Amino acid sequence: MSLKQSLNRLRKKIADSPRVNRAVEGMFAAYVRFAFKTSRFERTGCDELDACLARGEAVITTVWHQRLILGPYMVNAPKGTRVVSLTSAARAGRLAGQILVRLGWETIPMSSHQRHVTLSREVLKRHREGCSLGVVPDGPRGPARVASTVPLIWARSTGARVFTLAFAQKRVLRLPTWDKQMLPLPFSRGIITCQEWTDAVPRKPTEDETEALRLSLQRSLDEITDAADAALGKPSENPNLAE
């Protein structure tokens, strides 16, 4: 066996180690918690979302994958409120999911081999139990800031209100991922902002209606994300504007 093969086997063994994964999850979660608590974040446009959660109403929240890591702090649910996020069952998705769990959310891993009906039953079961649902429309593999129809499916199935969220920060750390994942930095200034997406989703939308709704949700997410950046004097990071 070559040295390269040996190193690859060792790397995979480490990556698959539950003990290593727990340590990495713990470090990431502790870092995000520290970075948020030592920074000064302003919340704007969140009153209606906060009111829904305060009275126990289950909602759907959406955020671009690039800014997912602060999801639990953006939603800012009251103690005892359950929020479940759909995450990838792949290794990176499991890691991200467990970080969210350590920050107070629940997760439902989505496998490409999982039957759609099984996933639907689990999501609807959580919704009936009062769980709000966190969805990343461009996750888990992109393209960045191109919405899928997944939020529309759950909005139609649950009848829950849909909110788009974003955060921006003066200084952030970028990960070398397909969407340049943003990690907050300590001792910085940031903004968390939100708006409700109010388009009605028909029970049986046509293909044209589905595409129009998808684009509408995408625009809402782009607007709120660009507004967060603009509030800190930063340019839009929408990769689709250059096309």
Side-chain angles (χ1 to χ4, degrees):
M1 183 182 297
S2 69
L3 176 60
K4 183 177 180 180
Q5 289 174 320
S6 298
L7 289 174
N8 285 338
R9 286 186 63 179
L10 178 61
R11 189 180 301 115
K12 186 177 186 302
K13 186 175 181 179
I14 292 172
D16 289 338
S17 165
R19 182 178 297 178
V20 171
N21 280 311
R22 284 195 297 270
V24 172
E25 294 158 10
M27 286 188 295
F28 261 100
Y31 171 80
V32 171
R33 193 178 295 115
F34 174 75
F36 180 80
K37 291 187 175 181
T38 57
S39 294
R40 181 164 51 90
F41 277 91
E42 176 189 0
R43 282 174 62 83
T44 67
C46 301
D47 291 350
E48 191 58 34
L49 172 62
D50 292 347
C52 288
L53 295 172
R55 61 176 174 261
E57 180 180 343
V59 300
I60 295 173
T61 62
T62 61
V63 63
W64 288 134
H65 190 275
Q66 182 193 52
R67 312 191 188 207
L68 168 65
I69 199 65
L70 276 188
Y73 293 109
M74 284 189 276
V75 174
N76 193 33
K79 187 176 181 179
T81 301
R82 296 173 63 191
V83 181
V84 61
S85 176
L86 302 180
T87 60
S88 168
R91 183 180 291 125
R94 293 198 305 270
L95 174 62
Q98 287 307 304
I99 293 170
L100 293 177
V101 167
R102 288 174 180 264
L103 295 176
W105 280 11
E106 303 174 21
T107 61
I108 299 177
M110 296 185 301
S111 168
S112 58
H113 303 296
Q114 188 177 27
R115 293 178 60 192
H116 178 70
V117 66
T118 303
L119 177 63
S120 296
R121 284 173 178 167
E122 181 62 23
V123 172
L124 292 174
K125 174 178 176 289
R126 302 279 186 104
H127 177 73
R128 287 193 295 270
E129 292 172 350
C131 281
S132 288
L133 181 64
V135 183
V136 181
D138 60 342
R141 289 181 288 272
R145 290 178 70 156
V146 174
S148 70
T149 59
V150 171
L152 308 180
I153 294 170
W154 303 125
R156 184 188 67 216
S157 300
T158 65
R161 296 168 69 175
V162 180
F163 293 86
T164 58
L165 295 105
F167 89 90
Q169 196 179 26
K170 273 290 188 180
R171 298 181 301 112
V172 295
L173 183 66
R174 306 279 181 176
L175 297 182
T177 59
W178 55 268
D179 61 346
K180 299 179 181 177
Q181 179 87 30
M182 287 170 48
L183 283 180
L185 284 173
F187 312 108
S188 186
R189 182 169 69 88
I191 186 169
I192 293 169
T193 188
C194 171
Q195 68 181 2
E196 185 174 4
W197 181 68
T198 57
D199 290 22
V201 182
R203 187 155 186 81
K204 293 184 178 180
T206 65
E207 288 187 13
D208 288 344
E209 287 174 328
T210 298
E211 178 62 7
L213 289 166
R214 185 191 71 79
L215 290 173
S216 173
L217 178 61
Q218 182 172 297
R219 282 193 299 271
S220 182
L221 270 166
D222 279 340
E223 287 169 5
I224 203 70
T225 305
D226 289 346
D229 286 333
L232 296 179
K234 305 177 77 170
S236 169
E237 295 193 11
N238 189 348
N240 304 310
L241 293 179
E243 297 180 354

